[in-house]
Amino acid sequence: MTAADGDTGGQDWRGSLASGRLLSLVALCWSLFQLWIASPLPFALGWGVVSETEARSVHLAFALLLAFALYPARRGQSGAGLALLPMLYVVAALVILLLAVQSLVSGTQWLPWLGLSGALALIARSHLVSSASRLPWVDGLLALLAALTALYLFWQHEALADRPGRPLTMDLLVSVVGIGLLLEATRRSLGPALSLIAGLFLAFAFLGPWLPDLVAHRGASLSRAASQFWLSGEGVFGIALGVSTSFVFLFVLFGALLERAGAGRYFIQVAFALLGHLRGGPAKAAVVASGLTGMISGSSIANTVTTGTFSIPLMKRVGLSANRAGAIEVASSVNGQLMPPVMGAAAFLMVEYVGIPYIEVIRHAFLPAAIAYVALLYIVHLEAVKTGLRGLPARADASWRARLIGTGLVVSSLVVLAGLLTLLLRWLEPMAQGLSLLVLGGGLLMLYLALLWLAAAQPEIEFDETRELPPLGPTVKRGLHFLLPILVLVWALVIERLSPAVSAFWAVVLLVLICLSQRPLLALLGRQRQRCGAASLAGLRDLHAGLVAGARNMIGIGVATATAGIIVGTVSMTGLGLGLSQVVETLSGGNLLLMLALVALLSLVLGLGLPTTANYIIVASLMAPIVVELGADAGLIVPLIAVHLFVFYFGIMADLTPPVGLATFAAAGISRGDPVMTGVHALRYSLRMVVLPFIFIFNTQLLLIGIDSALQLAVVVFSATAAMLLFAAASQGFWLVANRWYETAALLLVAFTLLYPGFWMDRLADPWERRPVTELTRQVEQTADGGHLRLWFEGLDAEGREVSRPAMLPLEAGDDVASRLEGAGLTLAMENGRLEVMEVRHGSAAGRAGIDYGWQVEAVLVPSPTRPSEVWFLLPAVGLLLIIGLAQLRRRSQVADA
């Protein structure tokens, strides 16, 4: 069992026909429950309103029940592994049973240990009777027991709130058994990596007094650990599971319904129709298709399996080796986890961890992900040029000009119509809110019917998609209605600024309508009325299958976010983050670049074998605070979103890095290539993802932070895109012709300058000027809403050491200076002639920046007015690039003449 199985939903239903239908009904009920709590119906009807704690409890109960029912205890194991794992469970059960006896003799709480011993014995028994053909009774019992432990908070949350920190024996019993079953469910659905890591963190929580001094702590009692991990919102039922319940499920369901409706196949066919005839066309199409799929996918592994099944054989057909074909698919699929709007579900977690609106997360993450994809397309092109690859043969009945013009007209018409609908809604909104919603719904319905009419009017053309390209015009026109749910999602998020949950809910509602109606309407518009009945039944089956698939795909994410809560709870309870910070500080010796490199390496190691959501939760909890703390001590002023994107990028790289990269193994299984060599090639293609995080830590303009004009935005986008293309040429050793070593070095220098021109200007002039605190009021008033205020603080940390460091605070709208600062979580007051920090709100931007009570504001940092523009350094970079280009053009012409 690997995380790949969990990320793709557990591909095989087990059990007899009856139990299979029962489990399908459970998955369907889970999806319907999530849609119910996301809809406005409970509040409109005054019935069925579920609190956040209750929703998390039910969410985890469904995930645990399905995990035990759908994933056999010993699937994917063989040989000694079949006997070793249940034997370990038996030994653990016996040891814990002895602990229960000892507790009984000593008069302490023995029932929780006895319950855990029994649960481990049942798990060991499940290994012996597990079968892929039916649902064993012991797995059914474990599924029900796990679900009941999760539902305990649903039934007892009010009573638990009345006795915080004073759990009863039954509370402890449920907590201990629940954590044990959660770890086993994680092992079954996602493989051993995450459950092993969580188990180590649990051991760390209890063994604190016996650990080395650097990470030692007082240790946790059973009551304290149970309260932290299971009976409160600080552990398993914490922020991560809350985001999974509120946001992630709806987006995963959105992707499953979109795929079931036929959009996944449509994206792939459009990509091949557009790019398949170019050099290495199937590889370029695979990149585009994976990008489109990855935008709404919650897993790089699922993305690899979905698009790779189609794209990898085609890449091999045009001449790419199995290893390179798999590597291109892996690189593009992993890059898809960085693309908004979903980002492997990490975007919604960043909202909670960083404390900024969802739309801001998307805005900051877009440019790096987009230019990384453009560079990957260029890498594929360079590979095709170097190896002489050709694309699939173009259709004889299609002109490229006609294809281009037709596609442009259709897409531009859709964009114009969407724009007109938006303007109309904006015009009507002040008049009548209800009427504007009716107009939007009516406009969408008319647009949907028009696009279905366009799809039905396309002729049926037979073609062998493995040997020739699909016709571009009909291919594009047949599926334009699949873009409507995406349009609704983007409109709700970007224009209306609705919450991600509400936006996803309305997009899912539209998808439900499409699943139910597209088949009968296409039959009706195609003058095939006799098929309407069968088409309607097929639409119902599509909807049912999509709802069930969405729940299946959420099993791994649900248990992963819950298990990651154990790690987060351990960090907050033991202060582990401070110990890791001291380790990194000691190893780096205060060198900023070395510190970032160590954090990147640790993020990569922590992400090995983990799904995207758990990956991000762990690196955000452990690594992001280290960069904030040590970076500020070294004078690095960086927004928190840049830090979280930094650790997220390197955590995601674990999916392709040998020898554990799960996406690499999935692609190698399809390509029949060597997993290690596939991973090596994928890592080489993904070097751009290693460089980008280091750059945007220092140059936050790549995250669209600190850009004040359209001209500045254009310069940043153009120079960043050109820089990534040149970096791709340098990393591949080929630009116009094969590079000489000094040309590769020069291309890297040019790319670095285009990405970070401020590096050279910083050598000549300091970018910031320190102003007295008397200018604080003026600087706050001049900072735009959503802008950042930079202050220099001095004080004592928790260990009594003197601290002198900068911090950057985001400022939103407010009535006055004090309210804007309080919005960032900071309250200041003059004490003895010094401006002191009187309060730092927990969980606020100021708290996340590491500011502490009692510190003094020593200075306000403003951009230096005498510093020349860093854009001047782009000119010598472009000059050097022209020299390299001319030299390579001369060599290419000499080769052509010869």
Side-chain angles (χ1 to χ4, degrees):
M1 167 57 59
T2 68
D5 301 305
D7 274 3
T8 51
Q11 297 301 311
D12 297 319
W13 288 101
R14 296 189 294 137
S16 64
L17 182 61
S19 61
R21 287 178 175 174
L22 178 61
L23 294 175
S24 178
L25 179 62
V26 171
L28 178 64
C29 290
W30 190 9
S31 291
L32 294 177
F33 168 76
Q34 296 288 159
L35 288 174
W36 173 261
I37 63 175
S39 74
L41 288 177
F43 299 96
L45 299 176
W47 177 84
V49 178
V50 180
S51 70
E52 187 175 357
T53 300
E54 293 171 332
R56 294 179 188 183
S57 176
V58 175
H59 180 84
L60 182 58
F62 273 117
L64 290 175
L65 192 152
L66 290 174
F68 278 103
L70 297 180
Y71 294 95
R74 65 186 191 192
R75 185 168 65 171
Q77 299 172 351
S78 62
L82 284 175
L84 179 60
L85 199 55
M87 187 181 300
L88 291 175
Y89 278 119
V90 169
V91 171
L94 291 174
V95 171
I96 293 175
L97 181 60
L98 291 176
L99 182 60
V101 173
Q102 181 186 12
S103 300
L104 177 62
V105 172
S106 61
T108 57
Q109 293 167 320
W110 55 272
L111 189 57
W113 302 118
L114 183 62
L116 180 57
S117 178
L120 291 175
L122 278 176
I123 293 171
R125 173 67 175 168
S126 72
H127 283 262
L128 302 177
V129 301
S130 184
S131 169
S133 61
R134 61 185 178 85
L135 178 62
W137 67 267
V138 68
D139 278 359
L141 179 59
L142 287 171
L144 290 174
L145 185 60
L148 290 174
T149 59
L151 288 173
Y152 188 73
L153 259 71
F154 181 86
W155 295 316
Q156 298 291 322
H157 70 280
E158 292 183 0
L160 290 171
D162 291 336
R163 53 173 190 269
R166 296 179 286 111
L168 304 177
T169 300
M170 180 56 70
D171 301 337
L172 297 179
L173 173 63
V174 170
S175 302
V176 170
V177 173
I179 290 174
L181 292 177
L182 173 61
L183 294 179
E184 168 64 7
T186 304
R187 186 201 65 79
R188 291 188 182 207
S189 58
L190 297 171
L194 181 56
S195 57
L196 179 62
I197 292 174
L200 291 175
F201 273 82
L202 274 175
F204 177 83
F206 287 105
L207 301 177
W210 296 278
L211 295 173
D213 291 341
L214 192 60
V215 292
H217 59 94
R218 65 175 183 171
S221 65
L222 179 60
S223 296
R224 186 183 178 210
S227 299
Q228 179 80 7
F229 294 131
W230 198 265
L231 303 176
S232 69
E234 300 296 325
V236 169
F237 297 93
I239 290 176
L241 188 65
V243 172
S244 176
T245 305
S246 303
F247 304 153
V248 178
F249 191 103
L250 291 174
F251 277 85
V252 171
L253 181 61
F254 177 80
L257 288 171
L258 202 60
E259 176 68 28
R260 187 66 191 183
R265 183 71 170 173
Y266 171 71
F267 290 155
I268 294 173
Q269 286 190 340
V270 168
F272 275 85
L274 284 170
L275 303 173
H277 64 286
L278 302 175
R279 280 183 176 269
K284 293 177 181 175
V287 173
V288 173
S290 294
L292 293 172
T293 305
M295 288 175 66
I296 55 173
S297 168
S299 163
S300 57
I301 302 159
N303 197 1
T304 299
V305 174
T306 300
T307 58
T309 304
F310 183 78
S311 63
I312 290 176
L314 283 178
M315 284 189 273
K316 292 173 65 178
R317 185 180 295 277
V318 297
L320 279 172
S321 67
N323 293 334
R324 292 179 186 272
I328 289 172
E329 178 59 44
V330 168
S332 54
S333 294
V334 171
N335 206 152
Q337 297 298 277
L338 308 175
M339 281 295 293
V342 176
M343 298 168 61
F348 315 114
L349 292 162
M350 285 183 189
V351 171
E352 300 295 329
Y353 284 126
V354 181
I356 62 176
Y358 171 80
I359 191 63
E360 291 297 311
V361 173
I362 300 307
R363 182 170 69 90
H364 297 319
F366 177 76
L367 182 59
I371 62 178
Y373 253 120
V374 171
L376 182 58
L377 275 172
Y378 189 54
I379 288 172
V380 170
H381 176 74
L382 294 177
E383 285 282 7
V385 172
K386 288 191 294 183
T387 55
L389 296 182
R390 299 293 175 185
L392 294 174
R395 296 180 61 87
D397 58 346
S399 162
W400 70 269
R401 290 185 178 86
R403 294 199 308 270
L404 184 61
I405 292 173
T407 304
L409 286 175
V410 172
V411 175
S412 61
S413 299
L414 182 62
V415 172
V416 169
L417 187 54
L420 290 175
L421 284 173
T422 301
L423 289 175
L424 181 62
L425 180 64
R426 286 295 190 191
W427 179 65
L428 287 173
E429 195 168 16
M431 303 180 191
Q433 181 69 27
L435 179 61
S436 66
L437 293 176
L438 289 176
V439 170
L440 176 64
L444 278 174
L445 180 60
M446 289 188 292
L447 182 57
Y448 173 54
L449 293 175
L451 293 178
L452 278 183
W453 173 82
L454 182 65
Q458 303 312 306
E460 293 289 340
I461 301 177
E462 299 293 333
F463 66 96
D464 182 1
E465 61 187 13
T466 64
R467 296 184 179 276
E468 62 179 334
L469 296 174
L472 179 59
T475 300
V476 171
K477 296 173 185 176
R478 280 176 186 161
L480 284 173
H481 58 284
F482 293 131
L483 301 180
L484 290 180
I486 301 175
L487 175 65
V488 168
L489 181 64
V490 173
W491 174 84
L493 288 171
V494 176
I495 297 177
E496 286 298 316
R497 299 294 182 98
L498 301 178
S499 70
V502 174
S503 304
F505 171 77
W506 289 115
V508 168
V509 168
L510 181 55
L511 264 176
V512 169
L513 173 65
I514 290 175
C515 286
L516 289 174
S517 64
Q518 67 170 340
R519 289 180 182 269
L521 285 176
L522 285 173
L524 189 64
L525 293 171
R527 303 182 186 279
Q528 296 175 332
R529 292 181 175 84
Q530 68 279 6
R531 296 181 53 193
C532 286
S536 298
L537 290 176
L540 282 172
R541 287 193 294 268
D542 286 342
L543 177 59
H544 175 270
L547 292 172
V548 171
R552 288 173 55 187
N553 294 344
M554 268 302 299
I555 297 171
I557 297 176
V559 298
T561 51
T563 305
I566 295 175
I567 299 169
V568 176
T570 302
V571 173
S572 62
M573 183 172 63
T574 63
L576 176 60
L578 180 61
L580 284 176
S581 177
Q582 291 175 349
V583 170
V584 173
E585 184 178 18
T586 302
L587 292 177
S588 65
N591 184 283
L592 188 58
L593 278 177
L594 184 55
M595 180 271 291
L596 290 173
L598 286 171
V599 169
L601 181 61
L602 287 172
S603 299
L604 186 64
V605 172
L606 288 170
L608 292 175
L610 299 183
T612 302
T613 44
N615 187 326
Y616 171 68
I617 293 168
I618 292 173
V619 297
S621 302
L622 292 176
M623 296 292 101
I626 294 176
V627 179
V628 173
E629 181 78 19
L630 299 184
D633 290 343
L636 176 66
I637 309 176
V638 59
L640 193 57
I641 182 64
V643 176
H644 279 256
L645 286 174
F646 179 88
V647 297
F648 179 56
Y649 267 61
F650 284 102
I652 287 298
M653 285 289 289
D655 277 348
L656 60 82
T657 306
V660 186
L662 299 177
T664 299
F665 279 91
I670 299 172
S671 69
R672 311 279 184 183
D674 177 54
V676 174
M677 289 308 300
T678 300
V680 169
H681 286 299
L683 184 59
R684 181 164 161 256
Y685 295 150
S686 301
L687 288 176
R688 68 203 191 286
M689 292 167 58
V690 176
V691 172
L692 266 175
F694 282 94
I695 298 297
F696 64 58
I697 278 287
F698 294 99
N699 181 17
T700 55
Q701 287 186 346
L702 290 177
L703 304 179
L704 304 184
I705 295 174
I707 294 180
D708 302 321
S709 65
L711 177 61
Q712 189 179 15
L713 174 63
V715 170
V716 169
V717 172
F718 176 79
S719 61
T721 305
M724 290 311 298
L725 296 179
L726 294 174
F727 179 81
S731 65
Q732 296 304 303
F734 192 98
W735 186 27
L736 305 179
V737 292
N739 297 336
R740 292 172 177 168
W741 70 267
Y742 54 85
E743 290 176 334
T744 295
L747 286 175
L748 289 174
L749 179 61
V750 172
F752 176 75
T753 302
L754 293 177
L755 280 173
Y756 184 23
F759 174 82
W760 306 109
M761 187 58 70
D762 289 347
R763 311 280 80 79
L764 302 176
D766 196 320
W768 302 103
E769 182 179 294
R770 296 179 63 152
R771 299 280 182 86
V773 294
T774 52
E775 293 198 17
L776 175 62
T777 298
R778 185 162 64 92
Q779 290 302 323
V780 171
E781 292 173 346
Q782 291 179 353
T783 303
D785 296 344
H788 291 84
L789 175 71
R790 293 166 173 83
L791 302 175
W792 194 279
F793 293 89
E794 290 185 359
L796 300 177
D797 64 10
E799 297 183 352
R801 296 178 301 180
E802 291 188 1
V803 174
S804 180
R805 50 182 284 192
M808 183 162 62
L809 300 174
L811 295 182
E812 300 298 336
D815 296 332
D816 51 29
V817 172
S819 64
R820 297 190 73 185
L821 290 173
E822 289 172 1
L826 189 65
T827 302
L828 302 176
M830 294 297 297
E831 292 287 336
N832 300 321
R834 305 191 70 178
L835 189 61
E836 289 192 6
V837 176
M838 304 305 296
E839 182 182 356
V840 179
R841 192 173 68 250
H842 178 70
S844 65
R848 295 186 184 98
I851 302 171
D852 204 354
Y853 168 78
W855 286 10
Q856 292 88 36
V857 181
E858 291 297 317
V860 180
L861 301 179
V862 299
S864 175
T866 59
R867 173 185 163 101
S869 173
E870 59 195 31
V871 176
W872 288 109
F873 279 96
L874 299 181
L875 298 179
V878 172
L880 179 57
L881 181 63
L882 289 175
I883 295 173
I884 302 170
L886 290 174
Q888 292 205 355
L889 281 174
R890 188 179 304 111
R891 290 209 307 276
R892 189 169 71 175
S893 63
Q894 292 172 353
V895 172
D897 293 339

